[in-house]
């Protein structure tokens, strides 16, 4: 493994903790009805957003999914604006009009996220085409889940990206389920990383719960894209530790999370944050007390984000159509 500065490793750790604690802080307000929009928590998948975004520059583009709080935070989005958006407030990153599934911060390259599965893939493709035409050397990352591998638009986009050698990274977050459908029931083989090959796209499959592996494969892929050797397809293997939507998939009193308990327990042991903590301590990079201090600092930041969101105003109903596109 390459030598990294402890400063860099601490930043990786802190980013994953910021995502995790922010996600977990939403559980209570979802359950007590303070948060009304559907929320897809990213707990368990933090290493992917973190490792990928650390390999990008601020100018590079990221397009997300319905489960994008982590992408937004890792790309540099403000936690206060994220939490305010989830509470539907005017100070939110989409001015309270979008909610959890429409997080964006174009200034920091988090161009947008939408709930339509596969919906942002062709948008990311367009951004990559634009930056190639403008010779900007920007790289675009298109995040999507394993569920999007069942959408035709992905294959059309792979073809066009391969044909035009676009600087785009197709980043598939394979958590083995699309809503409650296990991957074994919708694909003959668990082999998503192979779908880039017919389109002449360099492809990799890596452990998405190992933040350094995620960072390294992405850094390499960004290098290829910047040298005009893109696109690249990366499949990150991971697992969500919460329900598909909301903390535990209790929809109108019926429990719909059908994942086996043993499977969830197996993946809990591979928790990307606990694994990275163990790595940092074992290699004497950071002392346990320092990690605990970081956790406390982040807890404070999360608390302040909720206070900010709660004291922010709701949008003015008279401005309902203010940001709606008009010719
Ligand atoms: C085109 C489309 N079909 C169906 C849905 C309903 N839906 C929302 S999330 C989801 C599953 C997505 O699974 P995956 O892409 O693996 O992402 P994950 O939720 O596992 O992160 C589905 C089917 C949708 N939003 N859009
Ligand atoms: Mg999935």
């Amino acid at each position: 493994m390459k030598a990294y500065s402890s400063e860099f490793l601490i930043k990786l750790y802190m980013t994953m903790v910021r995502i995790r604690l922010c996600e977990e802080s939403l559980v209570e307000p979802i359950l007590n009805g303070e948060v009304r929009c559907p929320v897809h928590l990213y707990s368990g998948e933090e290493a992917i957003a973190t490792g990928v975004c650390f390999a990008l520059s601020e100018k590079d583009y990221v397009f997300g999914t319905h489960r994008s709080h982590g992408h937004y935070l890792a790309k540099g989005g403000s936690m206060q604006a994220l939490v305010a958006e989830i509470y539907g407030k005017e100070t939110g990153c989409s001015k309270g009009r979008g909610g959890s599934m429409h997080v964006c911060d174009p200034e920091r390259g988090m161009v947008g996220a939408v709930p339509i599965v596969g919906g942002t893939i062709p948008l990311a493709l367009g951004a990559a085409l634009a930056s190639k035409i403008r010779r900007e050397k920007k790289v675009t990352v298109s995040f999507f889940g394993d569920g999007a591998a069942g959408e035709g638009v992905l294959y059309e986009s792979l073809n066009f990206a391969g044909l035009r050698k676009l600087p785009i990274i197709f980043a598939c977050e394979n958590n083995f389920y699309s809503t409650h459908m296990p991957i074994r029931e919708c694909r003959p083989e668990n082999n998503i990383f192979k779908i880039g090959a017919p389109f002449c796209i360099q492809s990799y499959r890596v452990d998405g719960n190992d933040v350094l592996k995620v960072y390294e494969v992405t850094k390499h892929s960004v290098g290829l894209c910047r040298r005009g050797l893109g696109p690249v397809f990366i499949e990150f293997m991971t697992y969500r530790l919460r329900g598909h939507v909301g903390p535990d998939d209790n929809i109108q009193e019926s429990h719909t999370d059908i994942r086996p308990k043993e499977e969830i327990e197996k993946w809990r042991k591979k928790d990307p944050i606990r694994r990275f903590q163990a790595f940092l301590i074992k290699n004497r990079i950071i002392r346990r007390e320092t990690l605990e201090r970081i956790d406390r600092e982040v807890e404070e930041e999360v608390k302040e984000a909720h206070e900010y969101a709660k004291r922010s105003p709701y949008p003015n109903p008279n401005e309902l159509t203010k940001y709606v596109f008009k010719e």
Side-chain angles (χ1 to χ4, degrees):
M1 200 196 72
K2 290 190 201 123
Y4 294 105
S5 70
S6 51
E7 195 193 343
F8 174 78
L9 295 170
I10 291 174
K11 275 194 194 153
L12 280 180
Y13 175 76
M14 187 157 179
T15 303
M16 290 202 288
V17 172
R18 287 180 77 237
I19 299 171
R20 172 69 58 89
L21 295 188
C22 189
E23 292 299 67
E24 294 300 313
S25 75
L26 294 166
V27 169
E28 197 54 42
I30 294 169
L31 294 176
N32 71 21
E34 279 176 289
V35 161
R36 308 272 186 93
C37 63
V39 177
H40 301 79
L41 297 171
Y42 196 61
S43 298
E45 305 187 18
E46 297 87 348
I48 305 173
T50 304
V52 168
C53 291
F54 270 65
L56 300 174
S57 79
E58 197 173 68
K59 284 194 239 114
D60 293 321
Y61 295 136
V62 161
F63 287 76
T65 66
H66 54 286
R67 195 183 299 288
S68 263
H69 303 168
H71 309 138
Y72 167 96
L73 287 173
K75 194 69 177 66
S78 139
M79 190 188 290
Q80 292 193 339
L82 171 67
V83 177
E85 187 57 41
I86 296 168
Y87 277 86
K89 299 298 184 80
E90 180 72 30
T91 52
C93 58
S94 295
K95 305 213 181 297
R97 272 76 166 173
S100 158
M101 295 189 283
H102 296 91
V103 294
C104 67
D105 186 344
E107 303 266 296
R108 301 219 157 58
M110 174 65 199
V111 190
V114 294
I116 300 164
V117 172
T120 48
I121 300 171
L123 305 180
L125 188 78
L129 176 63
S131 42
K132 179 160 181 172
I133 291 170
R134 295 182 190 136
R135 298 176 198 276
E136 287 172 337
K137 300 265 175 234
K138 286 185 188 182
V139 174
T140 298
V141 173
S142 174
F143 283 107
F144 52 90
D146 47 292
E151 295 289 340
V153 70
L154 173 61
Y155 300 84
E156 296 172 48
S157 302
L158 290 172
N159 183 53
F160 189 75
L163 180 71
R164 300 291 286 268
K165 305 214 175 332
L166 297 185
I168 180 168
I169 297 173
F170 294 94
C172 178
E173 301 181 303
N174 183 354
N175 59 12
F176 297 87
Y177 289 84
S178 36
T179 48
H180 311 105
M181 169 91 84
I183 193 161
R184 64 176 179 278
E185 285 183 28
C186 51
R187 288 187 76 78
E189 207 188 314
N190 185 355
N191 61 356
I192 294 177
F193 74 105
K194 292 186 181 167
I195 65 180
F199 306 105
C200 306
I201 297 178
Q202 187 73 44
S203 304
Y204 305 96
R205 167 182 264 184
V206 297
D207 179 351
N209 282 21
D210 181 333
V211 69
L212 288 177
K213 287 219 172 86
V214 173
Y215 172 75
E216 279 162 17
V217 72
T218 311
K219 189 90 190 151
H220 166 74
S221 306
V222 168
L224 290 176
C225 287
R226 291 222 205 280
R227 296 200 303 280
L229 302 172
V232 181
F233 190 104
I234 316 173
E235 182 185 13
F236 297 104
M237 309 308 285
T238 190
Y239 200 77
R240 60 175 157 73
L241 295 175
R242 287 289 186 177
H244 166 69
V245 58
D248 58 2
D249 284 329
N250 255 324
I251 301 170
Q252 291 163 350
E253 306 303 314
S254 92
H255 192 66
T256 55
D257 191 348
I258 45 85
R259 300 178 304 168
K261 292 231 163 14
E262 310 76 60
E263 183 182 279
I264 302 175
E265 274 323 302
K266 187 184 97 187
W267 280 92
R268 255 185 219 296
K269 296 201 179 88
K270 298 194 214 177
D271 181 321
I273 299 180
R274 274 170 43 195
R275 264 170 83 182
F276 197 49
Q277 270 175 346
F279 164 85
L280 294 172
I281 290 168
K282 183 164 161 248
N283 290 286
R284 295 173 190 275
I285 297 165
I286 305 174
R287 300 210 324 250
R288 189 173 290 281
E289 301 82 80
T290 314
L291 294 179
E292 285 168 1
R293 182 175 48 74
I294 293 172
D295 294 357
R296 283 197 301 276
E297 275 171 28
V298 176
E299 270 166 29
E300 202 47 43
E301 185 192 6
V302 171
K303 206 171 122 213
E304 280 168 18
H306 279 265
E307 283 164 6
Y308 172 81
K310 285 184 184 177
R311 67 170 182 266
S312 293
Y314 283 108
N316 180 343
N318 297 331
E319 295 184 344
L320 183 66
T321 59
K322 187 171 172 189
Y323 301 104
V324 175
F325 176 75
K326 293 183 204 81
E327 272 195 294

